[in-house]
PDB file of all heavy atoms in Angstrom:
ATOM      1  N   ILE A  26     -30.125 -10.433  -6.194  1.00  0.00           N
ATOM      2  CA  ILE A  26     -29.641 -11.808  -6.349  1.00  0.00           C
ATOM      3  C   ILE A  26     -28.498 -11.761  -7.340  1.00  0.00           C
ATOM      4  O   ILE A  26     -28.648 -11.273  -8.463  1.00  0.00           O
ATOM      5  CB  ILE A  26     -30.754 -12.766  -6.831  1.00  0.00           C
ATOM      6  CG1 ILE A  26     -31.860 -12.873  -5.773  1.00  0.00           C
ATOM      7  CG2 ILE A  26     -30.170 -14.153  -7.065  1.00  0.00           C
ATOM      8  CD1 ILE A  26     -32.976 -11.915  -5.929  1.00  0.00           C
ATOM      9  N   TYR A  27     -27.361 -12.258  -6.913  1.00  0.00           N
ATOM     10  CA  TYR A  27     -26.106 -12.095  -7.647  1.00  0.00           C
ATOM     11  C   TYR A  27     -25.508 -13.476  -7.899  1.00  0.00           C
ATOM     12  O   TYR A  27     -25.354 -14.270  -6.968  1.00  0.00           O
ATOM     13  CB  TYR A  27     -25.165 -11.248  -6.777  1.00  0.00           C
ATOM     14  CG  TYR A  27     -23.841 -10.857  -7.388  1.00  0.00           C
ATOM     15  CD1 TYR A  27     -23.627  -9.565  -7.861  1.00  0.00           C
ATOM     16  CD2 TYR A  27     -22.782 -11.763  -7.456  1.00  0.00           C
ATOM     17  CE1 TYR A  27     -22.396  -9.179  -8.390  1.00  0.00           C
ATOM     18  CE2 TYR A  27     -21.559 -11.386  -7.981  1.00  0.00           C
ATOM     19  CZ  TYR A  27     -21.366 -10.101  -8.436  1.00  0.00           C
ATOM     20  OH  TYR A  27     -20.144  -9.731  -8.957  1.00  0.00           O
ATOM     21  N   VAL A  28     -25.172 -13.765  -9.139  1.00  0.00           N
ATOM     22  CA  VAL A  28     -24.609 -15.063  -9.512  1.00  0.00           C
ATOM     23  C   VAL A  28     -23.115 -14.924  -9.783  1.00  0.00           C
ATOM     24  O   VAL A  28     -22.684 -13.996 -10.481  1.00  0.00           O
ATOM     25  CB  VAL A  28     -25.316 -15.628 -10.763  1.00  0.00           C
ATOM     26  CG1 VAL A  28     -24.497 -16.738 -11.408  1.00  0.00           C
ATOM     27  CG2 VAL A  28     -26.698 -16.148 -10.404  1.00  0.00           C
ATOM     28  N   THR A  29     -22.327 -15.830  -9.228  1.00  0.00           N
ATOM     29  CA  THR A  29     -20.890 -15.859  -9.506  1.00  0.00           C
ATOM     30  C   THR A  29     -20.362 -17.275  -9.306  1.00  0.00           C
ATOM     31  O   THR A  29     -20.954 -18.072  -8.577  1.00  0.00           O
ATOM     32  CB  THR A  29     -20.117 -14.882  -8.588  1.00  0.00           C
ATOM     33  OG1 THR A  29     -18.736 -14.933  -8.898  1.00  0.00           O
ATOM     34  CG2 THR A  29     -20.298 -15.252  -7.123  1.00  0.00           C
ATOM     35  N   HIS A  30     -19.242 -17.585  -9.978  1.00  0.00           N
ATOM     36  CA  HIS A  30     -18.556 -18.850  -9.714  1.00  0.00           C
ATOM     37  C   HIS A  30     -17.374 -18.620  -8.782  1.00  0.00           C
ATOM     38  O   HIS A  30     -16.728 -19.557  -8.344  1.00  0.00           O
ATOM     39  CB  HIS A  30     -18.040 -19.464 -11.026  1.00  0.00           C
ATOM     40  CG  HIS A  30     -17.003 -18.617 -11.702  1.00  0.00           C
ATOM     41  ND1 HIS A  30     -17.326 -17.585 -12.546  1.00  0.00           N
ATOM     42  CD2 HIS A  30     -15.656 -18.619 -11.617  1.00  0.00           C
ATOM     43  CE1 HIS A  30     -16.216 -16.987 -12.963  1.00  0.00           C
ATOM     44  NE2 HIS A  30     -15.184 -17.597 -12.414  1.00  0.00           N
ATOM     45  N   ASP A  31     -17.112 -17.341  -8.458  1.00  0.00           N
ATOM     46  CA  ASP A  31     -15.961 -16.960  -7.644  1.00  0.00           C
ATOM     47  C   ASP A  31     -16.382 -16.903  -6.179  1.00  0.00           C
ATOM     48  O   ASP A  31     -17.102 -15.999  -5.756  1.00  0.00           O
ATOM     49  CB  ASP A  31     -15.457 -15.593  -8.110  1.00  0.00           C
ATOM     50  CG  ASP A  31     -14.184 -15.147  -7.390  1.00  0.00           C
ATOM     51  OD1 ASP A  31     -13.954 -15.618  -6.262  1.00  0.00           O
ATOM     52  OD2 ASP A  31     -13.443 -14.331  -7.947  1.00  0.00           O
ATOM     53  N   GLN A  32     -15.921 -17.879  -5.369  1.00  0.00           N
ATOM     54  CA  GLN A  32     -16.381 -17.932  -3.990  1.00  0.00           C
ATOM     55  C   GLN A  32     -15.826 -16.782  -3.149  1.00  0.00           C
ATOM     56  O   GLN A  32     -16.436 -16.387  -2.165  1.00  0.00           O
ATOM     57  CB  GLN A  32     -16.077 -19.297  -3.362  1.00  0.00           C
ATOM     58  CG  GLN A  32     -14.648 -19.773  -3.477  1.00  0.00           C
ATOM     59  CD  GLN A  32     -13.807 -19.313  -2.320  1.00  0.00           C
ATOM     60  OE1 GLN A  32     -14.312 -18.981  -1.268  1.00  0.00           O
ATOM     61  NE2 GLN A  32     -12.510 -19.283  -2.520  1.00  0.00           N
ATOM     62  N   VAL A  33     -14.682 -16.207  -3.534  1.00  0.00           N
ATOM     63  CA  VAL A  33     -14.177 -15.028  -2.821  1.00  0.00           C
ATOM     64  C   VAL A  33     -15.139 -13.854  -3.018  1.00  0.00           C
ATOM     65  O   VAL A  33     -15.471 -13.123  -2.080  1.00  0.00           O
ATOM     66  CB  VAL A  33     -12.758 -14.655  -3.294  1.00  0.00           C
ATOM     67  CG1 VAL A  33     -12.303 -13.349  -2.655  1.00  0.00           C
ATOM     68  CG2 VAL A  33     -11.772 -15.773  -2.965  1.00  0.00           C
ATOM     69  N   GLU A  34     -15.613 -13.696  -4.245  1.00  0.00           N
ATOM     70  CA  GLU A  34     -16.616 -12.672  -4.554  1.00  0.00           C
ATOM     71  C   GLU A  34     -17.868 -12.894  -3.724  1.00  0.00           C
ATOM     72  O   GLU A  34     -18.427 -11.955  -3.144  1.00  0.00           O
ATOM     73  CB  GLU A  34     -16.955 -12.777  -6.052  1.00  0.00           C
ATOM     74  CG  GLU A  34     -17.298 -11.479  -6.725  1.00  0.00           C
ATOM     75  CD  GLU A  34     -17.309 -11.653  -8.241  1.00  0.00           C
ATOM     76  OE1 GLU A  34     -16.243 -11.527  -8.860  1.00  0.00           O
ATOM     77  OE2 GLU A  34     -18.401 -11.927  -8.792  1.00  0.00           O
ATOM     78  N   ALA A  35     -18.298 -14.134  -3.652  1.00  0.00           N
ATOM     79  CA  ALA A  35     -19.511 -14.460  -2.897  1.00  0.00           C
ATOM     80  C   ALA A  35     -19.351 -14.125  -1.418  1.00  0.00           C
ATOM     81  O   ALA A  35     -20.238 -13.517  -0.797  1.00  0.00           O
ATOM     82  CB  ALA A  35     -19.839 -15.949  -3.063  1.00  0.00           C
ATOM     83  N   MET A  36     -18.207 -14.491  -0.843  1.00  0.00           N
ATOM     84  CA  MET A  36     -17.986 -14.300   0.590  1.00  0.00           C
ATOM     85  C   MET A  36     -17.874 -12.836   0.968  1.00  0.00           C
ATOM     86  O   MET A  36     -18.245 -12.434   2.067  1.00  0.00           O
ATOM     87  CB  MET A  36     -16.720 -15.041   1.023  1.00  0.00           C
ATOM     88  CG  MET A  36     -16.785 -16.551   0.878  1.00  0.00           C
ATOM     89  SD  MET A  36     -17.759 -17.326   2.160  1.00  0.00           S
ATOM     90  CE  MET A  36     -16.597 -17.320   3.516  1.00  0.00           C
ATOM     91  N   THR A  37     -17.353 -12.001   0.067  1.00  0.00           N
ATOM     92  CA  THR A  37     -17.119 -10.598   0.403  1.00  0.00           C
ATOM     93  C   THR A  37     -18.318  -9.709   0.107  1.00  0.00           C
ATOM     94  O   THR A  37     -18.365  -8.575   0.582  1.00  0.00           O
ATOM     95  CB  THR A  37     -15.902 -10.047  -0.368  1.00  0.00           C
ATOM     96  OG1 THR A  37     -16.088 -10.266  -1.769  1.00  0.00           O
ATOM     97  CG2 THR A  37     -14.627 -10.729   0.067  1.00  0.00           C
ATOM     98  N   MET A  38     -19.303 -10.203  -0.654  1.00  0.00           N
ATOM     99  CA  MET A  38     -20.406  -9.342  -1.068  1.00  0.00           C
ATOM    100  C   MET A  38     -21.736  -9.684  -0.424  1.00  0.00           C
ATOM    101  O   MET A  38     -22.525  -8.791  -0.117  1.00  0.00           O
ATOM    102  CB  MET A  38     -20.562  -9.400  -2.596  1.00  0.00           C
ATOM    103  CG  MET A  38     -19.370  -8.863  -3.362  1.00  0.00           C
ATOM    104  SD  MET A  38     -19.573  -8.957  -5.151  1.00  0.00           S
ATOM    105  CE  MET A  38     -20.717  -7.611  -5.434  1.00  0.00           C
ATOM    106  N   GLY A  39     -22.026 -10.950  -0.222  1.00  0.00           N
ATOM    107  CA  GLY A  39     -23.368 -11.358   0.140  1.00  0.00           C
ATOM    108  C   GLY A  39     -23.703 -11.255   1.621  1.00  0.00           C
ATOM    109  O   GLY A  39     -22.859 -11.485   2.476  1.00  0.00           O
ATOM    110  N   ASP A  40     -24.971 -10.884   1.910  1.00  0.00           N
ATOM    111  CA  ASP A  40     -25.495 -11.039   3.275  1.00  0.00           C
ATOM    112  C   ASP A  40     -25.607 -12.529   3.582  1.00  0.00           C
ATOM    113  O   ASP A  40     -25.281 -12.967   4.680  1.00  0.00           O
ATOM    114  CB  ASP A  40     -26.883 -10.394   3.395  1.00  0.00           C
ATOM    115  CG  ASP A  40     -26.834  -8.890   3.165  1.00  0.00           C
ATOM    116  OD1 ASP A  40     -25.873  -8.253   3.644  1.00  0.00           O
ATOM    117  OD2 ASP A  40     -27.745  -8.361   2.504  1.00  0.00           O
ATOM    118  N   ARG A  41     -26.098 -13.270   2.591  1.00  0.00           N
ATOM    119  CA  ARG A  41     -26.103 -14.741   2.659  1.00  0.00           C
ATOM    120  C   ARG A  41     -25.596 -15.285   1.327  1.00  0.00           C
ATOM    121  O   ARG A  41     -25.683 -14.626   0.288  1.00  0.00           O
ATOM    122  CB  ARG A  41     -27.504 -15.287   2.928  1.00  0.00           C
ATOM    123  CG  ARG A  41     -27.974 -15.153   4.357  1.00  0.00           C
ATOM    124  CD  ARG A  41     -29.242 -15.956   4.587  1.00  0.00           C
ATOM    125  NE  ARG A  41     -30.307 -15.539   3.670  1.00  0.00           N
ATOM    126  CZ  ARG A  41     -31.355 -16.313   3.346  1.00  0.00           C
ATOM    127  NH1 ARG A  41     -31.453 -17.544   3.810  1.00  0.00           N
ATOM    128  NH2 ARG A  41     -32.284 -15.854   2.529  1.00  0.00           N
ATOM    129  N   VAL A  42     -25.092 -16.500   1.381  1.00  0.00           N
ATOM    130  CA  VAL A  42     -24.572 -17.165   0.187  1.00  0.00           C
ATOM    131  C   VAL A  42     -25.264 -18.516   0.059  1.00  0.00           C
ATOM    132  O   VAL A  42     -25.321 -19.286   1.026  1.00  0.00           O
ATOM    133  CB  VAL A  42     -23.041 -17.363   0.279  1.00  0.00           C
ATOM    134  CG1 VAL A  42     -22.524 -18.097  -0.957  1.00  0.00           C
ATOM    135  CG2 VAL A  42     -22.337 -16.018   0.441  1.00  0.00           C
ATOM    136  N   ALA A  43     -25.787 -18.804  -1.138  1.00  0.00           N
ATOM    137  CA  ALA A  43     -26.413 -20.098  -1.416  1.00  0.00           C
ATOM    138  C   ALA A  43     -25.472 -20.896  -2.317  1.00  0.00           C
ATOM    139  O   ALA A  43     -25.134 -20.456  -3.415  1.00  0.00           O
ATOM    140  CB  ALA A  43     -27.765 -19.906  -2.097  1.00  0.00           C
ATOM    141  N   VAL A  44     -25.038 -22.046  -1.824  1.00  0.00           N
ATOM    142  CA  VAL A  44     -24.094 -22.886  -2.561  1.00  0.00           C
ATOM    143  C   VAL A  44     -24.871 -23.997  -3.274  1.00  0.00           C
ATOM    144  O   VAL A  44     -25.617 -24.750  -2.641  1.00  0.00           O
ATOM    145  CB  VAL A  44     -23.046 -23.513  -1.622  1.00  0.00           C
ATOM    146  CG1 VAL A  44     -22.035 -24.325  -2.423  1.00  0.00           C
ATOM    147  CG2 VAL A  44     -22.337 -22.431  -0.812  1.00  0.00           C
ATOM    148  N   LEU A  45     -24.693 -24.080  -4.605  1.00  0.00           N
ATOM    149  CA  LEU A  45     -25.385 -25.100  -5.397  1.00  0.00           C
ATOM    150  C   LEU A  45     -24.390 -26.094  -5.981  1.00  0.00           C
ATOM    151  O   LEU A  45     -23.240 -25.744  -6.277  1.00  0.00           O
ATOM    152  CB  LEU A  45     -26.183 -24.461  -6.532  1.00  0.00           C
ATOM    153  CG  LEU A  45     -27.509 -23.795  -6.174  1.00  0.00           C
ATOM    154  CD1 LEU A  45     -27.283 -22.394  -5.628  1.00  0.00           C
ATOM    155  CD2 LEU A  45     -28.437 -23.731  -7.384  1.00  0.00           C
ATOM    156  N   LYS A  46     -24.859 -27.310  -6.161  1.00  0.00           N
ATOM    157  CA  LYS A  46     -24.081 -28.353  -6.833  1.00  0.00           C
ATOM    158  C   LYS A  46     -25.053 -29.256  -7.581  1.00  0.00           C
ATOM    159  O   LYS A  46     -26.025 -29.755  -7.004  1.00  0.00           O
ATOM    160  CB  LYS A  46     -23.286 -29.182  -5.817  1.00  0.00           C
ATOM    161  CG  LYS A  46     -22.494 -30.320  -6.454  1.00  0.00           C
ATOM    162  CD  LYS A  46     -21.934 -31.267  -5.397  1.00  0.00           C
ATOM    163  CE  LYS A  46     -21.203 -32.428  -6.046  1.00  0.00           C
ATOM    164  NZ  LYS A  46     -20.848 -33.471  -5.057  1.00  0.00           N
ATOM    165  N   ASP A  47     -24.820 -29.435  -8.879  1.00  0.00           N
ATOM    166  CA  ASP A  47     -25.669 -30.307  -9.706  1.00  0.00           C
ATOM    167  C   ASP A  47     -27.153 -29.956  -9.579  1.00  0.00           C
ATOM    168  O   ASP A  47     -28.011 -30.835  -9.530  1.00  0.00           O
ATOM    169  CB  ASP A  47     -25.453 -31.777  -9.347  1.00  0.00           C
ATOM    170  CG  ASP A  47     -24.034 -32.234  -9.622  1.00  0.00           C
ATOM    171  OD1 ASP A  47     -23.393 -31.651 -10.518  1.00  0.00           O
ATOM    172  OD2 ASP A  47     -23.553 -33.151  -8.937  1.00  0.00           O
ATOM    173  N   GLY A  48     -27.444 -28.652  -9.496  1.00  0.00           N
ATOM    174  CA  GLY A  48     -28.830 -28.211  -9.441  1.00  0.00           C
ATOM    175  C   GLY A  48     -29.481 -28.283  -8.078  1.00  0.00           C
ATOM    176  O   GLY A  48     -30.651 -27.931  -7.933  1.00  0.00           O
ATOM    177  N   VAL A  49     -28.755 -28.748  -7.072  1.00  0.00           N
ATOM    178  CA  VAL A  49     -29.319 -28.939  -5.733  1.00  0.00           C
ATOM    179  C   VAL A  49     -28.683 -27.946  -4.763  1.00  0.00           C
ATOM    180  O   VAL A  49     -27.458 -27.805  -4.725  1.00  0.00           O
ATOM    181  CB  VAL A  49     -29.093 -30.378  -5.236  1.00  0.00           C
ATOM    182  CG1 VAL A  49     -29.630 -30.560  -3.818  1.00  0.00           C
ATOM    183  CG2 VAL A  49     -29.749 -31.380  -6.182  1.00  0.00           C
ATOM    184  N   LEU A  50     -29.510 -27.284  -3.975  1.00  0.00           N
ATOM    185  CA  LEU A  50     -29.013 -26.363  -2.955  1.00  0.00           C
ATOM    186  C   LEU A  50     -28.329 -27.160  -1.845  1.00  0.00           C
ATOM    187  O   LEU A  50     -28.936 -28.041  -1.237  1.00  0.00           O
ATOM    188  CB  LEU A  50     -30.173 -25.546  -2.381  1.00  0.00           C
ATOM    189  CG  LEU A  50     -29.812 -24.556  -1.264  1.00  0.00           C
ATOM    190  CD1 LEU A  50     -28.897 -23.464  -1.787  1.00  0.00           C
ATOM    191  CD2 LEU A  50     -31.075 -23.958  -0.649  1.00  0.00           C
ATOM    192  N   GLN A  51     -27.063 -26.837  -1.583  1.00  0.00           N
ATOM    193  CA  GLN A  51     -26.302 -27.538  -0.544  1.00  0.00           C
ATOM    194  C   GLN A  51     -26.428 -26.845   0.811  1.00  0.00           C
ATOM    195  O   GLN A  51     -26.599 -27.497   1.838  1.00  0.00           O
ATOM    196  CB  GLN A  51     -24.824 -27.610  -0.937  1.00  0.00           C
ATOM    197  CG  GLN A  51     -24.562 -28.256  -2.281  1.00  0.00           C
ATOM    198  CD  GLN A  51     -24.926 -29.726  -2.293  1.00  0.00           C
ATOM    199  OE1 GLN A  51     -24.461 -30.507  -1.463  1.00  0.00           O
ATOM    200  NE2 GLN A  51     -25.767 -30.106  -3.242  1.00  0.00           N
TER     201      GLN A  51
END
């Protein structure tokens, strides 16, 4: 489980990406 604020990093590394906003999974 990998945390980042960089969405390019997220898109290039993850099998899946979980997007959060204000504590809620989007």
